[in-house]
Amino acid sequence: MRYYTNVKDLGNLQEAIKEALEVKAHRYDYQHLGKNKTCLLIFFNNSLRTRLSTQKAAQNLGMNTIVLDVNAGAWKLETQRGVIMDGDKAEHLLEAIPVMACYADIIGVRSFARFESKKDDYEELILSQFIKYSGKPVFSMECATGHPLQALADMITIEEHKETARPKVVMTWAPHPGRLPQAVPNSFAQFAVAAGYEVVVTHPHGYELDPKFTEGATIEYDQMKAFEGADFVYAKNWSAYQDGYYGKNLEKDFPGQFNEDWKSWTVSDRQMAVTNNAHFMHCLPVRRNMIVTDDVIEGPRSLVIPEAANREISAETVIKRILETEF
C-alpha cells in the first residue's frame, strides 16, 4: 500500500480490522520495519488525537518522527498555481513538497476543507499535490473529504464491542455553533457499509452528504425512527454539501429558511431510550450539550475513550502496511 486516503486502499476491510487487532496485541513487534526511517507528519490544521496517536504509532514501529505545524514556525504556503506571490505567502507548495520529501520516507498530511471552493475541496487540492510531487508514500491524517484513520479506528472499536454479527449502526447529524467539514461522516458511512453493518444515516433536510460516500446506507430524516433498535450511535455535526449551501451552517446562515427544530437533534437519553441499549460514539472533540448530553457521553455505554485509544492502532496498522510494501 503506497497511499492511504480511503477504504478502498485497505483492500478487504475485515482483513484489515483483523490485522489491526493483531497489531493492538503486539504493537511493538514490528520495530524492524521502521528502523532508520522517518515519518514526517504535516499539519495544516489543529490536532490532538491525530498528532499524538500517529506520532506514537510511528514510534511503535521504530521510526523517527518529525512533526511540522505549517501555521506555526513555517513559511506561509501558497497552494494555487499561476498566482503572483506578492502577498504574505513566501513559499509555494510546489517547492515545499519536494523539500519536505528529502527528509522523510513516509509523509502524513492533515488538511481540512477550506470551504472556499467545493471543487478544490472535493478534488483534494492539498493532499493530491503531496501524492503527485513528493515521490514518497503519503497517508491522510484527515483531508478535505475524508478521515480514514478515524474511520478505521471506529471500525476496530465496533468490532471489539459488537454483540451481534451484523449490528445496526446509526450515524446522526447533531447541532454545532460552527461550520464543520463532511470528512468524518463521509468516511464513517463509507467504512461502516464496507464492514457489512446495517448502516442508517439520519440528518435534517439540507444536510445530505455526497452520495458516493453513503451508497449502501439507508437515509432517514426522522431521527427517532432511525434510532429504533440501534446497536451503535455515532453522533457528528457536518456542514451542508449541496451546491448553493456548500460549507454552510444552515441554522446559522439561513435562519428561518429550514423548518427544523435543530436543538432536538442533540443526542440525549430521549433518543437512546429507543435503541437496543446502544453504544455511543464520537470522534472528539465534542461540544457537550450540543452534540450530546453529559449523561450520554458519560454513561456506561459511551465508547469515546476506547475509540480515541484505537487511533494509535489504526495509524500503526496503516503505516505498517506502507512500510511492508515500500521497504
Side-chain angles (χ1 to χ4, degrees), residues 4-5 107-110 127 138-143 146-149:
Y4 181 61
T5 63
I107 300 174
V109 179
R110 182 174 176 89
L127 182 66
V138 174
F139 64 95
S140 169
M141 299 191 295
E142 186 172 357
C143 53
H147 197 346
L149 288 180

Side-chain angles (χ1 to χ4, degrees), residues 1-17 19 152 190-191 193-195 317-318 321:
M1 185 170 72
R2 185 171 178 82
Y3 306 115
Y4 181 61
T5 63
N6 60 60
V7 67
K8 296 177 182 178
D9 295 324
L10 291 172
N12 184 296
L13 179 55
Q14 287 295 341
E15 287 299 315
I17 294 171
E19 180 179 344
L152 179 55
Q190 192 176 53
F191 273 68
V193 169
T317 302
V318 166
R321 282 192 167 197

Side-chain angles (χ1 to χ4, degrees), residues 51-90:
R51 183 186 300 260
L52 297 178
S53 63
T54 312
Q55 187 170 1
K56 177 69 161 57
Q59 291 171 345
N60 290 352
L61 292 164
M63 300 191 76
N64 302 312
T65 58
I66 301 173
V67 177
L68 175 64
D69 185 338
V70 172
N71 298 311
W75 299 111
K76 289 187 177 181
L77 295 175
E78 178 58 63
T79 60
Q80 298 284 354
R81 301 180 78 97
V83 173
I84 297 174
M85 293 175 57
D86 58 356
D88 64 344
K89 295 176 181 177

